[in-house]
Amino acid sequence: MKKIWLSPPHISGNELQKIQQVFQENWIAPVGPQIGEFEAKISSFLGGQNRHVVALNSGTSALHLALKLLNIGSGDVVICQSLSFAASVNPVLYEGATPVFVDSEKETYNLSPVYLEEAITSQIKKGKKPKAIIAVHIYGMPYKVDEIHRISAKYEIPIIEDAAEAMGSRYSNRACGSFGDLALFSFNGNKIITTSAGGALVCQDDIQKNKAIFWATQSKENEDFYLHKEIGYNYRMSNVLAAIGLSQIDVLEERTKKKRDIQQFYASFLNDIDGFQMFDECSSEYKSNHWLSIVEMDKEKLQISALDLMRLLAKKNIESRRIWKPLHTQPVFAEFDFYGNTVAETIFENGLCLPSGTAMTSADLNFIKTEILAAIKND
Ligand SMILES: *Cc1c(COP(=O)(O)O)cnc(C)c1O
């Protein structure tokens, strides 16, 4: 039986040709013309001006360098979204800084403006004014941009926009990845477009961009011998992978449309069943790429939990997945402050990520539909 994966890579068809070109010209290194081309394409996708892009080997390294550009170090407080992937917090710890976790609001699953402001004022009272806010567009759904950026401006705390899951999403018709003081994308294999592994940092000027490239390439000073005055990293994207990215970004709009169609397909039958509710945009300002389609389940009404449904689908070779476990409930982050209630935990408890691969056929989707309907009837 064929396996239906959650969100597998989907090639455009032009990748091998681009890679062949790279091999012919022997740019098989973390340096070469394709990197610059890929950066320019991302920058123009974001609207060009003031968006200076650095291609890196992961979204995690992009976040790490964003924190370094904001001078975040030992003892500094950084506000983080609890309902997210651990990679959106780990680099805070790499720098010896302290994450402070904030709960979500229900409409976008992202930073609650209320708890965000409570976290900021409470930390200020303790003499620990936060130095940055990492705001995530989780599952591709834009966070409440106007409200979150109003709070950021009020307290003069910069925003690092984690758009790892949100390439192709828009808020007020403006691309996600263009809002933050700094922003990042991921091109990991499961993301909407991929370079197999990779990421990008979005800076506001060339000074930041050049500094990030300097750190990403071992902080080698411009001398005729190897001179190092700062700690460096090996974070640059491989030129071979940038060639893959060049083909992938060309199909981003197509992929976004397909992801949105998949979400609509699930909504077309699940929203008619009492106990299922698809996670969707709360107003027309929001355009999610619906990186993953999510259904919220009422286990009393359905007599089956999200976990039960996941296990039943797995028996049919259909991969679904639980929501990110809130980070403030993770053993590794248990010691850090949390501001909020149980919104993120409730979403974790009742939500399920459904297969969202853009290469799925209508036969695949109908098979999933049949199996979901069978799962709730049998119980
Ligand atoms: C995937 C992801 C990252 C990290 O990106 P990598 O390229 O895997 O390092 C960061 N934040 C979020 C929200 C992600 O989903």
Side-chain angles (χ1 to χ4, degrees):
M1 204 194 313
K2 165 179 166 184
K3 171 126 182 172
I4 297 178
W5 297 95
L6 186 74
S7 183
H10 182 183
I11 63 158
S12 74
N14 294 324
E15 286 85 354
L16 279 178
Q17 198 193 327
K18 293 256 191 232
I19 293 171
Q20 212 152 27
Q21 193 187 336
V22 164
F23 271 66
Q24 270 156 14
E25 294 164 7
N26 208 30
W27 287 111
I28 307 168
V31 58
Q34 278 71 18
I35 294 178
E37 250 183 87
F38 186 41
E39 290 172 339
K41 270 204 176 182
I42 299 168
S43 171
S44 80
F45 161 78
L46 290 172
Q49 276 174 353
N50 304 326
R51 299 295 149 195
H52 300 253
V53 175
V54 184
L56 296 167
N57 62 4
S58 72
T60 308
S61 47
L63 177 56
H64 187 190
L65 296 184
L67 292 165
K68 283 182 64 73
L69 283 171
L70 295 176
N71 243 321
I72 284 154
S74 182
D76 290 333
V77 165
V78 177
I79 303 231
C80 299
Q81 180 162 326
S82 181
L83 191 76
S84 187
F85 182 40
S88 64
V89 174
N90 283 331
V92 173
L93 281 299
Y94 301 167
E95 284 304 311
T98 305
V100 162
F101 291 102
V102 169
D103 206 352
S104 295
E105 37 78 12
K106 286 179 195 160
E107 287 185 327
T108 78
Y109 288 8
N110 294 308
L111 281 179
S112 150
V114 175
Y115 293 126
L116 172 62
E117 194 152 11
E118 187 189 320
I120 293 170
T121 52
S122 158
Q123 293 292 316
I124 289 174
K125 267 192 212 129
K126 293 189 195 178
K128 282 276 171 199
K129 182 179 167 182
K131 278 189 82 171
I133 298 163
I134 301 173
V136 186
H137 305 292
I138 205 73
Y139 297 117
M141 184 64 75
Y143 59 75
K144 297 198 163 179
V145 172
D146 291 339
E147 288 172 68
I148 299 300
H149 284 258
R150 203 180 304 127
I151 294 169
S152 148
K154 178 174 170 188
Y155 294 94
E156 298 181 322
I157 303 171
I159 289 184
I160 301 174
E161 183 188 359
D162 182 344
E165 301 176 0
M167 200 171 203
S169 299
R170 296 183 156 263
Y171 179 83
S172 283
N173 207 25
R174 189 171 140 185
C176 288
S178 73
F179 293 104
D181 295 272
L182 293 159
L184 60 115
F185 291 116
S186 166
F187 307 114
N188 197 8
N190 59 348
K191 299 288 161 49
I192 187 163
I193 61 167
T194 183
T195 57
S196 76
L201 172 66
V202 185
C203 305
Q204 289 187 9
D205 57 40
D206 264 335
I207 299 169
Q208 287 180 331
K209 173 171 172 162
N210 292 334
K211 190 77 204 191
I213 292 174
F214 173 76
W215 284 324
T217 53
Q218 309 287 18
S219 299
K220 192 158 63 66
E221 299 289 336
N222 193 15
E223 281 290 346
D224 50 12
F225 58 97
Y226 284 91
L227 180 66
H228 301 276
K229 298 178 182 170
E230 286 184 67
I231 296 291
Y233 303 87
N234 187 1
Y235 279 175
R236 200 67 163 127
M237 177 177 276
S238 157
N239 193 60
V240 180
L241 303 190
I244 299 176
L246 280 174
S247 325
Q248 286 275 305
I249 198 166
D250 281 347
V251 293
L252 176 61
E253 287 307 318
E254 234 173 275
R255 297 290 183 264
T256 306
K257 187 182 177 305
K258 178 73 194 226
K259 291 267 192 197
R260 291 174 59 79
D261 288 348
I262 291 167
Q263 197 272 351
Q264 272 302 300
F265 171 81
Y266 289 126
S268 72
F269 68 97
L270 289 175
N271 284 347
D272 291 339
I273 300 169
D274 195 23
F276 280 124
Q277 182 63 50
M278 288 300 290
F279 174 48
D280 206 348
E281 293 139 351
C282 60
S283 87
S284 60
E285 299 295 294
Y286 296 82
K287 187 186 171 206
S288 173
N289 68 4
H290 287 299
W291 171 56
L292 296 183
S293 284
I294 290 160
V295 66
E296 295 165 6
M297 296 172 59
D298 180 327
K299 65 172 176 270
E300 264 65 62
K301 284 183 180 158
L302 292 165
Q303 293 295 304
I304 173 178
S305 70
L307 181 59
D308 297 331
L309 181 57
M310 184 180 88
R311 287 176 177 158
L312 287 168
L313 292 175
K315 283 187 191 155
K316 305 291 175 179
N317 257 356
I318 298 168
E319 185 186 34
S320 59
R321 201 171 285 178
R322 305 282 302 274
I323 299 287
W324 302 122
K325 179 170 163 58
L327 296 174
H328 75 280
T329 70
Q330 296 283 4
V332 69
F333 300 128
E335 69 191 272
F336 302 112
D337 289 347
F338 169 70
Y339 295 87
N341 202 307
T342 56
V343 177
E345 284 176 88
T346 305
I347 295 167
F348 167 65
E349 202 51 43
N350 300 327
L352 190 66
C353 305
L354 299 171
S356 305
T358 47
M360 281 193 295
T361 62
S362 31
D364 294 332
L365 286 167
N366 282 315
F367 175 64
I368 298 165
K369 173 179 176 177
T370 306
E371 293 306 329
I372 293 174
L373 297 177
I376 57 165
K377 276 206 192 87
N378 286 344
D379 221 77

